[in-house]
């Protein structure tokens, strides 16, 4: 997605842009934020007991409200993590959704956002089949969204540098579970095992930096990045092991 490249600083800058009705880039900023953060909202609503169809409608309603009511104008970076702000907001919305839905049936004629709900439901279906809480579903989906965003950043940089094919070959090695030997990788696509080992090491470094950059855009202070990174990795690890 090209929109985030129009903003030079952090996700909080994007939030401020989205809150500024006078900004010519407000629509782009709003669309970027909605596309980036809808999946955790959907997961929270689904785990709260809503059907897939109802969760789709409610997620749309929530972000229509975001667009109509200047929702992001209430975000204050001095209050900490954007993850927590969005969670509190969607929880409040869901608690009051009946009255709001009556007044704004399916957005009240407002344009619906083009969100990949099939992908959201697929991700939700991979959640542990237990009596997990909506809060934990939200946290895991948020964590995965951050990891995916970092991966997208790295991929974009490799593609822009003419190394898209190399990224595609090496991407499976980012998990730390190497799918085959470097000799097999070299035989399949060129390069020496030594060269590919170095390339994988560099890719992992690139991904680590991209992950930290992505997280830094959602927290108040640079010193919060390590704590948030550790927390998100723990959330993902817990989800994998159910």
């Amino acid at each position: 997605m090209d929109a985030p490249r129009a903003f030079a600083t952090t996700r909080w800058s994007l939030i401020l842009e989205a809150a500024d009705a006078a900004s010519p880039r407000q629509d782009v900023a709003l669309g970027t934020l909605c596309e980036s953060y809808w999946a955790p909202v959907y997961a929270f609503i689904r785990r709260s007991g809503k059907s897939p169809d109802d969760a789709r409608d409610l997620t749309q309603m929530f972000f229509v409200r975001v667009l109509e009511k200047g929702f992001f104008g209430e975000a204050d970076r001095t209050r900490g993590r954007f993850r927590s702000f969005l969670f509190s907001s969607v929880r409040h919305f869901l608690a009051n959704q009946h009255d709001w839905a009556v007044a704004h049936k399916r957005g009240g004629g407002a344009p619906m956002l083009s969100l990949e709900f099939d992908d959201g439901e697929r991700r939700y279906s991979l959640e542990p089949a237990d009596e997990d809480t909506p809060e934990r579903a939200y946290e895991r989906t948020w964590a995965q969204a951050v990891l995916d965003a970092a991966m997208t950043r790295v991929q974009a940089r490799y593609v822009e540098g003419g190394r898209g094919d190399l990224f595609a070959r090496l991407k499976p090695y980012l998990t730390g579970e190497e799918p085959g030997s470097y000799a097999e990788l070299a035989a399949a696509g060129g390069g020496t095992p030594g060269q590919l080992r170095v390339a994988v090491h560099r890719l992992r470094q690139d991904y680590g930096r991209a992950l930290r950059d992505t997280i830094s855009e959602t927290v108040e202070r640079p010193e919060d990045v390590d704590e948030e990174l550790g927390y998100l990795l723990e959330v993902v690890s817990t989800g994998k092991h159910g």
Side-chain angles (χ1 to χ4, degrees), residues 132-161:
D132 206 359
T133 65
E135 291 82 0
R136 288 186 62 187
Y138 173 90
E139 296 290 326
R140 272 203 298 269
T141 308
W142 177 281
Q144 190 59 56
V146 170
L147 297 178
D148 291 347
M151 186 74 74
T152 298
R153 285 184 179 211
V154 176
Q155 182 178 11
R157 292 169 186 167
Y158 272 68
V159 170
E160 289 171 359

Side-chain angles (χ1 to χ4, degrees), residues 42-59:
Y42 178 83
F44 175 80
I45 294 173
R46 278 288 280 123
R47 184 62 76 175
S48 296
K50 304 299 182 181
S51 70
D53 286 343
D54 286 344
R56 291 185 182 96
D57 286 346
L58 288 167
T59 301

Side-chain angles (χ1 to χ4, degrees), residues 17-182:
E17 198 83 43
D20 184 2
S23 172
R25 300 186 296 182
Q26 184 188 38
D27 288 346
V28 175
L30 285 168
T32 299
L33 286 167
C34 292
E35 290 172 11
S36 299
Y37 296 117
W38 72 266
V41 170
Y42 178 83
F44 175 80
I45 294 173
R46 278 288 280 123
R47 184 62 76 175
S48 296
K50 304 299 182 181
S51 70
D53 286 343
D54 286 344
R56 291 185 182 96
D57 286 346
L58 288 167
T59 301
Q60 289 277 19
M61 287 180 188
F62 175 73
F63 281 106
V64 165
R65 188 175 187 182
V66 165
L67 297 173
E68 290 182 342
K69 302 299 183 182
F71 166 85
F72 288 121
E74 301 173 7
D76 182 357
R77 66 177 300 167
T78 64
R79 296 177 185 173
R81 291 161 174 76
F82 185 62
R83 166 173 56 85
S84 300
F85 170 80
L86 186 67
F87 172 73
S88 296
S89 299
V90 69
R91 182 173 58 182
H92 177 76
F93 165 79
L94 194 59
N96 297 280
Q97 60 84 20
H98 176 73
D99 292 340
W100 196 85
V102 169
H104 299 77
K105 181 62 175 177
R106 293 182 179 267
M112 290 289 97
L113 300 169
S114 179
L115 303 177
E116 298 293 334
F117 283 114
D118 288 343
D119 182 60
E121 184 61 23
R122 179 189 63 79
R123 292 187 186 190
Y124 177 79
S125 70
L126 298 176
E127 287 287 307
D130 56 17
E131 295 182 0
D132 206 359
T133 65
E135 291 82 0
R136 288 186 62 187
Y138 173 90
E139 296 290 326
R140 272 203 298 269
T141 308
W142 177 281
Q144 190 59 56
V146 170
L147 297 178
D148 291 347
M151 186 74 74
T152 298
R153 285 184 179 211
V154 176
Q155 182 178 11
R157 292 169 186 167
Y158 272 68
V159 170
E160 289 171 359
R163 298 181 294 161
D165 290 343
L166 178 64
F167 175 84
R169 293 175 63 198
L170 302 184
K171 180 180 176 181
Y173 289 75
L174 279 176
T175 63
E177 299 176 358
E178 300 180 0
S181 71
Y182 288 103

